Amino acid sequence: MGRMGRVIVVALVPAVALVGAGLYWFQPWKLWQDETVQEALPAATGTPAPAPSTSASPEPAGPVTVARGELISHEHATSGTVTLLRLADGSHVLRLEDLDTSNGPDLRVWLTDAPVKEGQAGWHVFDDGAYESLGRLKGNRGDQNYAVPAGVDPAAFTSVSIWCDRFDVSFGAAELAPA
């Protein structure tokens, strides 16, 4: 191999490594891959929580809507409904319905205490205060349920974000309004 060949190899190896790292980091193919999830409305498991003695009627057996909101777009076009449900056993579930957003690397569902802001002003606010990750986004389309961990007080949170942990940006968010 001549001198010119070695120069080309020396330049080509880092370039290939850089392209490979960029592809891994950005995962651009996800923009064309949709993952649809269709989960049923959650049902409680275990023993129902006792009804307060001052209540004239017993608690309903099915899920009770505690709060709800409509997703708005941030970094990517996002729409759908967010509902915080209390199940008969006292546990809570966050439900995304008719979700439609872009797929992306390392997307999470977060309960947060941040205000939901329109446009670019709202892209980066959700990791500034308190937040609780409910796990990886199961799919970028459809209906899906996320259990709120025991010990987490859902009343401490006022919004939900579809959060890209890799790039610290919100794909979309919803203000949670009490039902």
Side-chain angles (χ1 to χ4, degrees):
M1 181 183 304
R3 181 178 169 101
M4 186 57 127
R6 281 188 291 253
V7 169
I8 290 173
V9 168
V10 168
L12 198 56
V13 169
V16 168
L18 198 59
V19 168
L23 287 173
Y24 170 76
W25 188 253
F26 289 97
Q27 298 178 0
W29 56 88
K30 286 198 170 195
L31 292 173
W32 297 281
Q33 294 176 332
D34 288 327
E35 294 179 41
T36 301
V37 174
Q38 294 296 337
E39 293 181 329
L41 192 64
T45 58
T47 308
S53 58
T54 59
S55 174
S57 60
E59 282 284 317
V64 174
T65 299
V66 175
R68 77 175 326 123
E70 294 294 321
L71 287 163
I72 65 166
S73 299
H74 280 147
E75 172 70 20
H76 292 265
T78 302
S79 62
T81 303
V82 176
T83 309
L84 180 63
L85 302 166
R86 184 178 64 246
L87 305 182
D89 65 0
S91 65
H92 289 87
V93 170
L94 184 80
R95 180 161 173 84
L96 303 177
E97 292 183 319
D98 299 320
L99 174 66
D100 188 1
T101 191
S102 297
N103 205 341
D106 207 14
L107 294 180
R108 309 290 174 145
V109 177
W110 280 11
L111 280 173
T112 80
D113 67 351
V116 176
K117 299 177 182 176
E118 296 276 341
Q120 287 186 349
W123 287 14
H124 301 284
V125 299
F126 297 100
D127 60 350
D128 292 345
Y131 61 88
E132 182 70 35
S133 177
L134 303 182
R136 288 190 179 278
L137 186 68
K138 297 173 185 177
N140 63 308
R141 298 184 190 278
D143 303 337
Q144 41 207 278
N145 306 311
Y146 296 86
V148 176
V152 172
D153 179 11
F157 301 101
T158 57
S159 60
V160 173
S161 174
I162 306 300
W163 184 257
C164 180
D165 218 19
R166 171 127 345 131
F167 296 105
D168 292 329
V169 66
S170 175
F171 273 36
E175 191 92 26
L176 287 173

